[in-house]
Amino acid sequence: MQIVHAPHLPIRADWLASREEAILEPELPVVDAHHHLWDRQSGRYLAHEFRDDLASGHRIVSTVYVQCRSMLRSTGPEALKPVGEVEFATGVAAMFASGAYGATRACDAIVGGADLALASEVAPVLEAMLEVSGGRLRGIRNPLAWHEDPAVVSSPATPPRDRMASPAFVRGVQTLERYALTLDAWVYHTQLDALYELAKAAPAVTIVIDHFGGPLGVGPHAGRHDEARRAWAQALRKLASLPNTRMKLGGAGMPVFGFDFAARECAPSSETLAAAWRPYFDTCIELFGVERCMFESNFPVDKGMFSYHVVWNAFKRLAQAMSAAEKAALFSRTAASTYRLPIPGDQS
């Protein structure tokens, strides 16, 4: 196992079991646009654990694996060590493709972790990842979330403060165009202006904004949700004006969002989650439209705050008033088009 000191909430199976719900719209096809897999001293979440969550009742047709520094190569050049994570995710994809783990095509798209600060020198790393991915590599993500307050932390890896403005990093992002790869970006709302400048500098690269764009509710933002939400929405409006941006709706089970559900006696219901997330969801839909938004579980990170079947019920409650076409976009078609996956229901 890996020894990783991450600020994620512990997964408490008994506490999660305190909340059971009937599955809403169980036949609706879903692409889980963002999840991780790992074997850490804090817990294991690999194929078997993910399979159990996938089998909880929703129709998850495929998933997108996103880098989390799992199974890096232990030897060889430093730049090539992240290739090991793509090899790992590709192996898990093969396990699910066999049908032995259910009908879901897990890890059908992979977002790797090549170091984009290598500038154009990242090219051979990307090529190595493409070679081992079985055709599944779709994008790259690097640690970008940074805040000056040490109370604001969501990842075991802290990047340099101005990583997105680094000329070398910008060239690395621009290099993704050559390989038709996206950039996934997890940043806080205080960094959205920097992400806007980066997205402008790489107009041919699709920039996928993770986790609602990180509206913070801890550190200096604790107890100031309305103020943070206004600043977040203002910055998001600029990003949404760029046609190469997409938004992932989810990830709000991380403590940096400031929700206290994990401290309650019982795990939260989907109604409770949907009500808490409604302002963020509505703003994202208003700014980006359903054709540029996609739902994500962010499991197992968010599993410390709610269970898999409950979070997808919450998403379905958020989209309850939408048309069938709008739901299809949010739950599968946007993710499928962004990550070049088969589109559920498309017979062409």
Side-chain angles (χ1 to χ4, degrees):
M1 71 177 66
Q2 292 175 281
I3 305 301
V4 178
H5 299 289
H8 307 321
L9 294 170
I11 296 172
R12 298 168 289 163
D14 291 346
W15 182 76
L16 291 173
S18 68
R19 179 68 60 184
E20 290 293 337
E21 296 185 359
I23 303 300
L24 302 178
E25 299 183 76
E27 296 306 313
L28 179 65
V30 173
V31 174
D32 185 344
H34 191 114
H35 72 88
H36 312 290
L37 298 169
W38 57 52
D39 188 5
R40 297 176 174 177
Q41 86 284 1
S42 57
R44 172 179 293 180
Y45 196 81
L46 294 173
H48 291 81
E49 291 78 14
F50 192 34
R51 174 202 59 192
D52 292 345
D53 280 335
L54 292 171
S56 60
H58 295 281
R59 186 185 170 195
I60 314 295
V61 296
S62 59
T63 76
V64 180
Y65 174 90
V66 178
Q67 69 80 222
C68 55
R69 296 181 58 81
S70 276
M71 311 301 174
L72 305 185
R73 289 178 176 176
S74 61
T75 60
E78 194 67 27
L80 290 174
K81 287 183 178 179
V83 176
E85 183 167 23
V86 176
E87 292 174 312
F88 158 64
T90 301
V92 175
M95 293 169 66
F96 277 88
S98 74
Y101 290 79
T104 303
R105 296 186 67 87
C107 306
D108 214 21
I110 297 169
V111 176
D115 183 3
L116 296 172
L118 293 169
S120 59
E121 296 303 310
V122 76
V125 182
L126 299 176
E127 290 166 6
M129 288 181 167
L130 285 163
E131 184 177 353
V132 303
S133 73
R136 294 181 176 90
L137 187 71
R138 296 291 186 267
I140 297 296
R141 187 175 79 152
N142 283 187
L144 294 176
W146 182 93
H147 198 282
E148 61 186 0
D149 192 314
V152 182
V153 59
S154 61
S155 169
T158 301
R161 175 175 185 165
D162 297 317
R163 168 58 60 86
M164 285 184 282
S166 160
F169 186 80
V170 173
R171 288 196 299 274
V173 173
Q174 292 168 338
T175 302
L176 297 176
E177 177 189 357
R178 188 189 318 168
Y179 302 97
L181 296 174
T182 66
L183 175 72
D184 259 67
W186 164 225
V187 301
Y188 304 135
H189 80 266
T190 50
Q191 299 175 279
L192 290 174
D193 286 342
L195 184 60
Y196 170 76
E197 296 299 330
L198 178 62
K200 277 205 309 180
V205 176
T206 297
I207 309 296
V208 184
I209 307 162
D210 293 347
H211 315 328
F212 284 116
L216 292 170
V218 296
H221 312 282
R224 301 164 66 182
H225 275 85
D226 290 344
E227 179 183 335
R229 190 162 61 242
R230 285 193 296 270
W232 164 81
Q234 182 177 359
L236 269 193
R237 188 172 298 277
K238 290 173 57 180
L239 271 164
S241 72
L242 301 177
N244 61 322
T245 56
R246 304 290 183 272
M247 172 61 72
K248 284 183 179 177
L249 309 174
M254 290 185 285
V256 290
F257 281 78
F259 296 115
D260 67 351
F261 303 126
R264 301 183 185 182
E265 182 178 355
C266 294
S269 67
S270 58
E271 294 97 331
T272 297
L273 296 176
W277 300 341
R278 172 65 66 183
Y280 304 106
F281 173 80
D282 286 349
T283 298
C284 288
I285 298 302
E286 175 192 348
L287 295 178
F288 290 88
V290 295
E291 69 281 355
R292 292 164 64 196
C293 289
M294 64 196 93
F295 285 121
E296 48 144 336
S297 72
N298 195 36
F299 264 48
V301 176
D302 283 18
K303 195 171 182 177
M305 200 169 283
F306 39 74
S307 59
Y308 199 79
H309 76 284
V310 168
V311 72
W312 286 105
N313 270 356
F315 293 152
K316 289 175 179 179
R317 291 185 187 281
L318 285 169
Q320 191 169 18
M322 292 187 162
S323 69
E326 289 171 325
K327 289 180 182 179
L330 288 169
F331 284 96
S332 61
R333 295 183 74 89
T334 299
S337 62
T338 300
Y339 293 108
R340 291 180 281 131
L341 292 168
I343 296 176
D346 189 346
Q347 303 301 317
S348 60

